[in-house]
Amino acid sequence: WELRLAPHGDREVYEQVMKSYCELNFNEGGSFKSNTDPWLELGPRRRTGFGIGPIRNIVLCPDDPDHMLCTSSSGGLFYSINAGEYWHNAGTDIGWPHSGCQGAAYYPGETDHWYALSTYDNGRISYVGGVYRTSTGGAEWEPIADADDLVGPGTQIQLLLFDRKENAQNDHRLLLATSRGIFISDDP
């Protein structure tokens, strides 16, 4: 591998151009300039210092902006009822065989009725994951789909969401985007 400098081929010109670019686009400390808006960490974080693992998704409740869900691939699901000021464990660490959470959704019109994806190993449901629901704000969880329902343990679940329109049963359809296609439940 070697540095290619086209069309002029002069390393000094390259260095001058890069210096000008960096002066325009980077702060003194070497970080990229974005804007002057402050960024504040909302969490969630554990006080023990172990952390909760990588955050996969943030879900805002469409019916109440103070309610939020946050998914972690190793820490599980967390929720906030005050726009992220405080975060609470949603019980996936004790209510699921594997606490890793790939995604979550609020049932339309509800703030304590959630659906979430328990995944393992890069979003695969494996033999320990699947789709879970709670209508008690995480106090109790019920499995509603597993590897047998979703064409095997190698299935990767990317997204779950609700159809906002009610179906013939006066319910909302739950859709899953997976590595094997789209799955739908008319009675989640």
Side-chain angles (χ1 to χ4, degrees):
W1 293 98
E2 63 183 75
L3 181 63
R4 296 287 181 170
L5 303 172
H8 53 73
D10 187 343
R11 187 168 181 89
E12 281 187 35
V13 172
Y14 168 79
E15 295 293 340
Q16 290 171 350
V17 169
M18 286 305 295
K19 181 180 178 188
S20 296
Y21 173 80
C22 290
E23 286 173 351
L24 289 173
N25 294 296
F26 288 84
N27 295 315
E28 274 186 41
S31 63
F32 190 77
K33 290 181 185 177
S34 58
N35 56 36
T36 58
D37 295 338
W39 284 87
L40 305 172
E41 181 184 356
L42 286 180
R45 56 192 166 278
R46 289 200 175 124
R47 295 174 194 251
T48 61
F50 293 112
I52 59 153
I55 301 301
R56 294 289 178 201
N57 290 295
I58 300 170
V59 181
L60 306 176
C61 181
D63 302 301
D64 185 339
D66 286 338
H67 288 255
M68 303 166 70
L69 299 171
C70 176
T71 69
S72 169
S73 57
S74 58
L77 184 66
F78 295 84
Y79 69 96
S80 174
I81 59 173
N82 53 16
E85 188 171 340
Y86 295 104
W87 290 91
H88 308 277
N89 186 321
T92 58
D93 56 335
I94 56 174
W96 296 359
H98 175 73
S99 67
C101 187
Q102 178 75 13
Y106 285 94
Y107 185 84
E110 301 287 335
T111 57
D112 288 337
H113 196 159
W114 317 321
Y115 288 70
L117 305 172
S118 173
T119 59
Y120 182 76
D121 188 27
N122 296 320
R124 291 184 316 115
I125 58 175
S126 189
Y127 294 99
V128 296
V131 182
Y132 287 80
R133 73 173 160 214
T134 180
S135 58
T136 59
E140 297 173 359
W141 287 96
E142 175 186 9
I144 62 168
D146 61 18
D148 292 335
D149 300 306
L150 303 172
V151 195
T155 302
Q156 292 178 311
I157 305 175
Q158 309 300 328
L159 177 70
L160 80 160
L161 58 92
F162 279 97
D163 184 347
R164 299 294 291 182
K165 182 180 174 185
E166 289 185 346
N167 60 21
Q169 292 88 11
N170 294 323
D171 208 346
H172 296 274
R173 298 183 307 170
L174 177 62
L175 294 98
L176 300 176
T178 77
S179 59
R180 303 194 187 247
I182 298 171
F183 288 81
I184 189 166
S185 173
D186 282 325
D187 185 22

